[in-house]
Amino acid sequence: MSSNHSDVVSQPTASDLFKYARDICIQNVSIDRPESDLLSELETILNANPDIVHKRDERGHTLLHFAASHRSPVFCQLILKANPQLVNTPHIDNGRLPFHFSCYQANIKTAKYLYHMHPESINTPDNSG
C-alpha cells in the first residue's frame, strides 16, 4: 500500500486556532449561529489550547480585546478563566485595555463586567492620555 500525502490532515497551528477563536469573538450572532453555539466553540478551543489567550494578532489585539468589543460578558469571563490577568493587558499600539474597547464600542454589559473585574481600568489612560 502506498502512502498518499493528500490523505494527511495537518493539525491547526496556534495561529490558526487564534484566528478561528478571534472570528468567533467578532462573528455576528444569527439564527444559524446562536451565541450559545459560538460560546461552546470558543470554550472547546480554549480548553484544548489555553495558551492562545496570550497570543496577539498582527495589530496587537488579544482575544479579550476582541471579545470586549463584540461579545457579551460570558465570552470575556471564559477568556479570563484561562488567565485573569488579561483584564489588565493593554493593546500594543494604543495602550487601551479591554475595558476601553468595550466602552468605545458601547458594549455596556461587557464594560460593566470588565470594570467589576478591574475597577482601576476606568482611571488607566491609553497612549493618548
Side-chain angles (χ1 to χ4, degrees):
M1 179 185 240
S2 67
S3 174
N4 185 347
H5 291 293
S6 64
D7 293 339
V8 176
V9 177
S10 64
Q11 293 295 318
T13 66
S15 291
D16 294 336
L17 291 170
F18 175 85
K19 289 175 185 174
Y20 185 66
R22 176 202 61 202
D23 290 348
I24 289 171
C25 289
I26 63 175
Q27 189 173 63
N28 289 328
V29 173
S30 68
I31 293 172
D32 297 330
R33 301 278 296 171
E35 187 172 70
S36 59
D37 287 358
L38 296 172
L39 185 62
S40 178
E41 286 182 49
L42 182 61
E43 184 172 27
T44 299
I45 291 170
L46 293 179
N47 285 340
N49 306 279
D51 289 341
I52 69 167
V53 298
H54 302 286
K55 288 191 69 61
R56 292 177 182 265
D57 73 356
E58 62 281 351
R59 296 180 57 209
H61 299 92
T62 65
L63 288 178
L64 187 57
H65 287 108
F66 286 113
S69 295
H70 301 282
R71 286 282 161 239
S72 68
V74 292
F75 282 80
C76 294
Q77 185 177 23
L78 184 61
I79 294 166
L80 289 171
K81 187 170 89 173
N83 183 346
Q85 297 304 313
L86 291 173
V87 74
N88 193 31
T89 301
H91 186 274
I92 289 174
D93 291 336
N94 58 32
R96 291 184 185 138
L97 301 177
F99 170 77
H100 297 136
F101 277 79
S102 62
C103 292
Y104 184 74
Q105 295 296 327
N107 192 350
I108 304 303
K109 288 181 183 178
T110 300
K112 286 181 180 179
Y113 170 75
L114 292 170
Y115 172 76
H116 173 73
M117 295 301 296
H118 185 65
E120 301 83 22
S121 58
I122 201 164
N123 293 317
T124 304
D126 63 12
N127 292 350
S128 300

